[in-house]
Amino acid sequence: MPSKKPKSPVSTKKKTRASKTVKTKKRKVKSPKSKARRSSRKRKSKSAKKSVYKRIAYTSLVVLSLVFVVYMSYLDRRITERFEGRIWQLPAHVYARPLELCVGKAISVEQLKFELDYLNYHKVDQLPKQHAQYRQWRNTFDIKTRKFVFWDGNEPVHTIRVVIEDKKVSDLIDISKNENTGLVRFDAGYLTGIFPSHAQDRVLLKLDDVPDMFIKMLLLIEDRRFFSHWGVDPRSIARALAANLSSGRTVQGGSTLTQQLVKNLFLDQGKRLTRKINEAFMSLLLEFHYDKRLILETYLNEIYLGQDGRRAIHGFGLASEFYFGKSLNELSIDEMAIMIGMVKGASYYNPLRNPEHALRRRNIVLSAMKLSELITEQQAELLSKKPIVTVKHARSGLYPAFIDVVKLQLQQDYQPEDLRSEGLRVFTTLDPYVQFKTEQAVKNTLPRLSKSNELQAAAVVASPLNGDVLAVVGDRNPTYKGFNRAINASRQVGSLIKPVVYLTAFEQGLGYTLATMLDDSEFIYKDSHQDDWQPLNYDKKYHGDVTLYESLLKSHNIPAVRTALDVGLDKVIKTLTALGSKQNIPPYPSLALGAVNMSPMEMTSIYQSFSTNGFRSPLRSVFAVLDKNRQPLERYSLDVDNQVKPESVALVNSALIDVTKYGTAKYLSKSLDIQVAGKTGTSDDLKDSWFAGFSGDIVAVVWIGFDDNRSTYLTGSSGAMKIWSNLMKDVAYKPYMLPEIPGLEKYWIDGDNGLLTEQDCKNALELTFIEGTQPDRSSDCESGRSSNWFFNLFN
């Protein structure tokens, strides 16, 4: 049997490859069922993915919708809370006292002109035809006043003629009736506001009180479709966008009045897209909730229209008074156009700071009015030629020391938050003319007394009649808002207290008179509980026996101490309290020399009592408060108290008159044209310089010193009295005269021994006595007395 041939390796490989090839072809073959199954699986996969995407999209939509609803609810709540609560915090408006004129009223030509300028009255060359105008010819004024709301009702407009002669009103005529009139009250000048933290100020307007022409002008320029859109106006936005694109810059805005209001009330001034979106949504919500008239009224009161120092001017009501000195319904059409033009840019178009810009913008407004036939072409041409005339006025917050006093009085009856947010109208006692002259006296005199810029001063001026505080200065720079020395500087009063010591002596019935001889010899006070105390006179000399009158005129120290100890230090303290002091003063012997700390305001209270012969009226800086609706809330009526005998005070005052003629204040007899009474005061080491005194219509106290209590090198007569003199020569019209009190008599007294004498005798003095207290013995008469014995003595 033949043997088999072995297989070739090549053939084996081929077979293997062929075999593999066959197997591969078998895998590629797909049956119809397999294809169907695979297609079904793909469809299910795609469907599942779509379902997931739908669920994600739906969930996202729900979440976003929920977020949107929540956010819109938040915006809605912000709007409703603001509009249904108190939209604004209204500061208290503080006013000066209103000027009142009547025949016989003491006032100079200079003061009346100052008052008119202070009130922003405009001087004209013809008879005044508009409110707040005046014409002056020498000492004659023709004036048309403003109407004003006071605590006792509305004050109408007056057209008057005022004639001033010898610093008094000699004629007061109602020009419209051509007859004499009894009393004319001017509007009260605005002083400042007691502001909340943002310092916004406004005078609220009711829409019904706004002129129709003003509303038409505002809507013409700012939002022509205000009454037809829903808070956002797509047409205005499209128009503004087209104008801005064509010019290549922003020349027009598309915001509605509602959007502007939302931006001012709720949003910042940024230009972010998110802010614009919020503005749009909130505008829609605002229009959904509230009437168009309320939105427009709120806009009129909210719009920002300038700055007055720290005070922000908001609303057309305040802006019209601030820029033009009159209410909105009194503005002329060209003045209204200026107001509306400022909406585009309150700073750039400010008529006070940028009158040229304001003029161009005003004329643009007038041109738009002409095209819309709100005015004729002739009116537009005439109004476009008018110059811009704004009022002159002092920057708010000019009297910080006085406002401090006002706040102290108000805080006794009102919470601080009410003063900053309830829109109170506060009528004060400040006299603008007296305040101005007091400030000038301090600013002009102090540099002549010392080269040091650290030397400080304070002054308080009041009315003797009723205790009204007329002026307050608390710093050498009167407009400085800081430490108020008039009420907060507690300093030793020195010899200002000596009239109190001698008044106590007269009150006690111990036989003291102006002619009582006092011992001015060496004196040492001994007390087992303290070291010995030896007072000295200012000149370091002893003068033997002197009359009480001479001791007060020359301000001797030792007789004052002996007298205080004799009548009782507790009695001196009681007299201080009766005159107005509220301090708890310890009974130390040095009290008799003024070693007690008081403020200038406290000393003014005491000397006000002297000026009225013991009839004390507590000092007041506020006499009426109205609420935001101008209804009376509080009247601070005049309160008079008398705890000392008028005849005793008259004795002291008769000597204080002579202090200003022959004593330590004799300089005043040359510098002033009227008779006054007063007293110098100097503390130890010349640390404090004081002067307190009064005329028939003014009581004033001036203090000079350093805050660190070092020496001023000034006495009362070389320092504070100079400021007092420069103040009084401009504001005091009436001389101080001793009142006619039954039981007061005058006698001639020998100045050497205090006994009765004759007028022609040497050293004779005419002194005032309470009936029955005059000396019962006469002095030997030595002829040859100089008629000005005391004047010669003190010179």
Side-chain angles (χ1 to χ4, degrees), residues 76 230-231 258 282-291 295:
D76 188 73
W230 290 87
T258 310
M282 295 179 80
S283 298
L284 293 170
L285 290 169
L286 186 60
E287 293 265 4
F288 174 76
H289 281 292
Y290 301 104
D291 178 71
I295 294 172

Side-chain angles (χ1 to χ4, degrees), residues 585-604:
I585 301 171
Y588 296 130
S590 56
L591 165 67
L593 301 184
V596 55
N597 291 351
M598 291 189 182
S599 69
M601 185 67 70
E602 291 174 293
M603 289 310 304
T604 304

Side-chain angles (χ1 to χ4, degrees), residues 507-546:
E507 286 275 286
Q508 297 308 307
L510 299 177
Y512 280 92
T513 70
L514 290 173
T516 298
M517 301 303 294
L518 303 178
D519 182 7
D520 186 12
S521 61
E522 182 179 6
F523 174 76
I524 300 175
Y525 179 79
K526 296 181 179 293
D527 190 315
S528 59
H529 300 291
Q530 64 183 46
D531 294 336
D532 292 352
W533 176 61
Q534 183 176 8
L536 298 173
N537 291 320
Y538 175 74
D539 59 6
K540 304 297 190 295
K541 297 179 181 179
Y542 302 109
H543 307 93
D545 291 337
V546 295

Side-chain angles (χ1 to χ4, degrees), residues 423-467:
L424 303 179
R425 290 165 63 89
V426 180
F427 291 91
T428 74
T429 59
L430 182 132
D431 186 311
Y433 182 73
V434 175
Q435 178 72 35
F436 173 73
K437 289 298 183 180
T438 304
E439 293 177 359
Q440 292 299 305
V442 171
K443 290 166 61 177
N444 296 336
T445 309
L446 204 57
R448 296 200 292 266
L449 300 177
S450 172
K451 295 181 180 179
S452 174
N453 291 329
E454 295 180 354
L455 183 63
Q456 282 292 346
V460 179
V461 185
S463 166
L465 180 64
N466 49 29

Side-chain angles (χ1 to χ4, degrees), residues 253-273:
S255 296
T256 63
L257 285 188
T258 310
Q259 287 176 276
Q260 294 180 41
L261 177 60
V262 165
K263 179 180 68 175
N264 292 334
L265 277 179
F266 302 102
L267 305 173
D268 57 36
Q269 302 298 314
K271 299 185 180 298
R272 303 180 306 278
L273 178 61

Side-chain angles (χ1 to χ4, degrees), residues 467-649:
D468 286 352
V469 179
L470 306 179
V472 182
V473 171
D475 190 276
R476 65 178 292 132
N477 176 12
T479 60
Y480 173 70
K481 296 180 180 180
F483 183 64
N484 185 351
R485 293 161 188 82
I487 57 177
N488 296 323
S490 186
R491 306 292 293 242
Q492 287 197 2
V493 300
S495 296
L496 292 191
I497 207 169
K498 288 174 181 173
V500 180
V501 172
Y502 293 125
L503 174 61
T504 306
F506 298 149
E507 286 275 286
Q508 297 308 307
L510 299 177
Y512 280 92
T513 70
L514 290 173
T516 298
M517 301 303 294
L518 303 178
D519 182 7
D520 186 12
S521 61
E522 182 179 6
F523 174 76
I524 300 175
Y525 179 79
K526 296 181 179 293
D527 190 315
S528 59
H529 300 291
Q530 64 183 46
D531 294 336
D532 292 352
W533 176 61
Q534 183 176 8
L536 298 173
N537 291 320
Y538 175 74
D539 59 6
K540 304 297 190 295
K541 297 179 181 179
Y542 302 109
H543 307 93
D545 291 337
V546 295
T547 61
L548 187 152
Y549 171 81
E550 181 182 346
S551 177
L552 184 53
L553 256 66
K554 292 185 177 182
S555 199
H556 292 326
N557 289 336
I558 297 173
V561 173
R562 291 182 186 273
T563 303
L565 291 172
D566 183 45
V567 301
L569 294 173
D570 59 326
K571 298 296 192 300
V572 175
I573 295 171
K574 184 178 179 180
T575 303
L576 275 170
T577 302
L579 294 175
S581 173
K582 297 180 180 180
Q583 291 196 31
N584 184 17
I585 301 171
Y588 296 130
S590 56
L591 165 67
L593 301 184
V596 55
N597 291 351
M598 291 189 182
S599 69
M601 185 67 70
E602 291 174 293
M603 289 310 304
T604 304
S605 179
I606 291 170
Y607 272 79
Q608 187 273 335
S609 298
F610 276 113
S611 71
T612 54
N613 291 285
F615 291 91
R616 181 174 70 88
S617 298
L619 298 183
R620 63 176 182 176
S621 59
V622 177
F623 57 82
V625 179
L626 309 185
D627 65 15
K628 64 182 177 182
N629 297 317
R630 305 188 178 186
Q631 297 301 310
L633 285 179
E634 190 80 39
R635 284 294 304 276
Y636 294 89
S637 58
L638 181 63
D639 184 17
V640 180
D641 186 25
N642 175 239
Q643 298 184 32
V644 292
K645 300 173 183 176
E647 54 269 28
S648 298
V649 180

